[in-house]
Each structure stands twice: as C-alpha cells, then as structure tokens.
C-alpha cells in the first residue's frame, strides 16, 4: 500500500486580486462606497418598516426581512474583498473559507425563499383579494419567514460538512473573488466529479424557486390586464414592479453564476459575473424599494424627521 505524503492546506490565497501598488486603491474606494450604501440603504428600509405602523403588513414585512438579509449577505464577502485589495497577504484560513461559503450560500438560499414567499403573497393579494387577510395572517407570515431561515441554513450544512472532510494538499490558490463551491472543490486532492452532482442540486433548487415565482407573476399580470380601471391597473402594476425587478436581478445573476454547468467562462467574465452576483445586485435593492415606492419614501422621510 502506497502512502501519499500530502501537505495539508490550512489556508487559501486569492491570487487574482491586484497588488496595492498596481492600482488596487482605485477598486477599493468605489467598492467601499458601494458597501456603505448597501448597509445604510437596507438599514433605512428595515427601520422605516419597523417604525411606521402603516407598513406593518405582510408585503413590507417581507421586504424588511429581505433588506436585513442583504446586509449580512454582503457583509460575508465584501469586507474580505476590501481587505484583499489593500493587504499583501490575500489569504483566508480553511475554516474561514468554509464559513464564508456556508453563510454566503445560506443567506442566498434564504433570500431566494423570501422572494418566493413575496411572489406568493402578491399572488394572493391580487388574484384572491377577498381572502387575503384570512390567508396571510401575522402568524403565517412569521412561520414563512422563520421557515425560510431555518431551511436556508440547514440546506447547506451537509454540503459544507462534506467539503470539510475532503483532502486539500495544494495548490491553494482560489481563482475567484471569494470562497465558492466550484473554485474550492477544484483544489481538492480527490475525485471532483461530485461538482456535477452539486451543480444539479443547485439547478433543481434554483429552478424550483424561479418556476414558482414566474408562474405567480404570470398569473398576476394576467389578472392585472383584466382590470377595467386604468388607475387601478397602474397601481397594481407599480406594486409588483419592484418585486419583479429584484427577482430578475437576483435570479438573473444566480443563473449566470451557477447554471452554466460545464461551460467555462473567460476568467475576467467569470469575475464580472461574481461581482454582479455578490455586489451589484444587492446595490440595487435599496434603490428600487426606496425610489419606486411612495409608501417607503414617505416612511423613510418620516423616520428622518423623527431622528432630526
């Protein structure tokens, strides 16, 4: 029996970040401002809903929860990206990498479930308005929110535990902006055919959410187009426009990131897609929900008046 002398990898290096003297500061400053905007914007939405009794309904409760998740979703990756842009040691420990993957994807799955719940909520509100208050009770809203969080954080646990048992013996350079399943699994000193199985699992979960949301909004749009009053139709469309935009941004970037299977993107395009997925899509959440929603704008203004 031949014994393999493997050197156990204890940390990974992000090899594709530029050095500080090579202009990384020009990337650091805009990324820092984007991160601050995401945090401040989503906290504004969260507290505006919490402080304004007029927004204490299922739709805005789900929006505030989505905004709260976005804060932590971006905090898992962007601060480390900022650190890698200004530090010489662009490394992350093995445990740190596992934790980053776990929280990033758990929060992402939870967000996907919340978006699915929001689509169902709008479907009931527009397609079955007389029974909306009976169906979407505060208790059910709490159960749906809690269930989304529990399922989101339990779903990824077996995958992370499995990755933690794999042997990593070098190389240890991650060719991505953050720790992600495929770039890390490619570094494992074992058969990586499980990547395809993992892709199928991700595809099924993503397509399930996309199908439910798409069918809900297709039915919603069909019902809205039948509304005789132009003003009522416009109001119904404006209610769903923000949700549909966020849905397209979120799942559009998810699809590009995780549903390409064996298709290999050029390294620069691959990182651009990762940046859109982890940074740019969350950037538009506070913009869309605050600028395109009159009730939210009024609540934010009221919050500033109280604080002032």
């Amino acid at each position: 029996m031949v014994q393999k002398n493997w050197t156990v990898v204890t940390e990974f290096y992000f090899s594709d970040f530029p050095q500080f003297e090579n202009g990384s500061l020009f990337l650091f400053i805009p990324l820092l401002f984007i991160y601050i905007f995401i945090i401040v914007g989503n906290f504004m939405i969260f507290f505006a809903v919490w402080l304004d009794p007029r927004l204490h309904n299922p739709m805005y409760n789900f929006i505030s929860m989505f905004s709260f998740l976005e804060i932590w979703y971006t905090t898992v990756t962007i601060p480390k990206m900022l650190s890698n842009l200004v530090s010489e040691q662009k490394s992350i420990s093995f445990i740190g990498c596992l934790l980053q993957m776990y929280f990033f994807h758990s929060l992402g799955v939870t967000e996907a479930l919340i978006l699915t719940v929001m689509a169902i909520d709008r479907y009931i509100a527009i397609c079955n308005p007389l029974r909306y208050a009976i169906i979407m009770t505060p208790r059910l809203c709490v159960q749906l929110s809690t269930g989304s969080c529990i399922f989101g954080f339990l779903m990824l646990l077996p995958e992370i535990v499995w990755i933690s048992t794999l042997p990593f013996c070098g190389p240890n350079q991650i060719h991505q902006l953050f720790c992600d399943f495929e770039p890390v699994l490619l570094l494992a000193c074992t058969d990586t055919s499980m990547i395809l199985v993992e892709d199928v699992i991700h595809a099924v979960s993503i397509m399930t959410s996309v199908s439910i949301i798409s069918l809900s909004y297709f039915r919603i749009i069909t019902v809205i187009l039948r509304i005789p009053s132009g003003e009522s139709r416009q109001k119904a469309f404006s209610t769903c426009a923000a949700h549909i935009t966020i849905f397209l941004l979120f799942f559009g970037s998810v699809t590009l990131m995780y549903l390409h299977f064996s298709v290999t993107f050029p390294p620069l395009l691959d990182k651009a897609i990762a940046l859109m997925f982890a940074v740019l899509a969350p950037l538009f959440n506070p913009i869309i929900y605050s600028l395109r929603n009159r009730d939210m704008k009024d609540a934010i203004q009221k919050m500033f008046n109280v604080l002032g």
Side-chain angles (χ1 to χ4, degrees):
M1 183 176 178
V2 179
Q3 186 169 349
K4 298 179 181 179
N5 294 322
W6 283 345
T7 302
V8 178
V9 170
T10 57
E11 62 181 5
F12 296 106
Y13 290 90
F14 296 99
S15 58
D16 294 344
F17 280 88
Q19 294 297 326
F20 187 79
E21 59 270 15
N22 293 334
S24 67
L25 187 62
F26 293 105
L27 299 174
F28 176 87
I29 293 173
L31 184 59
L32 177 62
F33 278 109
I34 288 172
Y35 178 59
I36 292 171
F37 180 84
I38 290 171
I39 299 300
V40 173
N42 282 296
F43 263 126
M44 280 170 47
I45 292 173
F46 178 76
F47 284 114
V49 173
W50 185 54
L51 293 172
D52 195 332
R54 295 175 304 165
L55 302 185
H56 291 178
N57 58 57
M59 182 180 78
Y60 286 107
N61 287 336
F62 292 135
I63 289 175
S64 69
M65 183 170 184
F66 186 79
S67 294
F68 184 74
L69 290 169
E70 286 278 78
I71 293 167
W72 301 109
Y73 175 76
T74 51
T75 299
V76 170
T77 55
I78 297 181
K80 186 59 183 173
M81 290 185 204
L82 291 169
S83 172
N84 287 336
L85 285 170
V86 295
S87 65
E88 289 190 16
Q89 293 295 324
K90 307 175 191 301
S91 61
I92 187 170
S93 68
F94 179 70
I95 297 298
C97 190
L98 290 177
L99 289 173
Q100 188 179 66
M101 283 192 295
Y102 174 66
F103 284 108
F104 181 72
H105 285 283
S106 294
L107 288 162
V109 169
T110 305
E111 285 188 354
L113 293 171
I114 292 296
L115 287 173
T116 306
V117 170
M118 288 165 67
I120 295 170
D121 170 72
R122 288 301 86 202
Y123 171 81
I124 298 171
I126 293 174
C127 300
N128 200 354
L130 297 179
R131 299 196 62 206
Y132 178 73
I134 300 172
I135 297 172
M136 295 303 294
T137 61
R139 181 180 179 183
L140 179 61
C141 292
V142 171
Q143 289 173 339
L144 289 171
S145 299
T146 306
S148 297
C149 291
I150 293 172
F151 183 79
F153 278 84
L154 288 180
M155 180 181 173
L156 272 296
L157 203 55
E159 201 166 359
I160 295 298
V161 171
W162 169 66
I163 293 174
S164 70
T165 64
L166 297 178
F168 290 88
C169 54
N172 63 345
Q173 294 183 345
I174 295 176
H175 297 286
Q176 190 49 279
L177 302 177
F178 49 86
C179 289
D180 206 0
F181 289 126
E182 188 171 337
V184 171
L185 285 174
L186 288 172
L187 301 178
C189 301
T190 185
D191 180 23
T192 56
S193 59
M194 280 295 290
I195 293 176
L196 181 61
V197 177
E198 183 189 80
D199 283 342
V200 172
I201 294 171
H202 290 162
V204 170
S205 60
I206 291 167
M207 292 309 300
T208 300
S209 290
V210 169
S211 299
I212 294 172
I213 295 172
S214 299
L215 288 171
S216 297
Y217 283 121
F218 177 78
R219 176 61 179 158
I220 287 169
I221 292 170
T222 304
V223 170
I224 290 174
L225 291 174
R226 293 176 185 168
I227 298 175
S229 170
E231 185 179 345
S232 299
R233 189 164 57 243
Q234 178 64 31
K235 184 178 179 181
F237 264 125
S238 64
T239 302
C240 295
H243 300 307
I244 294 174
T245 305
I246 293 294
F247 159 64
L248 292 174
L249 279 170
F250 183 88
F251 283 100
S253 57
V254 166
T255 300
L256 286 172
M257 190 80 177
Y258 296 109
L259 295 189
H260 56 80
F261 293 98
S262 59
V263 177
T264 303
F265 292 136
L268 187 61
L269 179 59
D270 197 37
K271 289 170 184 60
I273 293 170
L275 195 67
M276 181 177 72
F277 177 53
V279 179
L280 296 184
L283 170 66
F284 288 103
N285 176 50
I287 296 173
I288 291 167
Y289 279 131
S290 60
L291 295 182
R292 291 190 56 86
N293 189 304
R294 181 175 295 276
D295 291 336
M296 186 65 74
K297 283 193 288 188
D298 291 343
I300 292 172
Q301 183 65 47
K302 181 180 176 182
M303 180 180 66
F304 279 119
N305 291 338
V306 171
L307 294 175

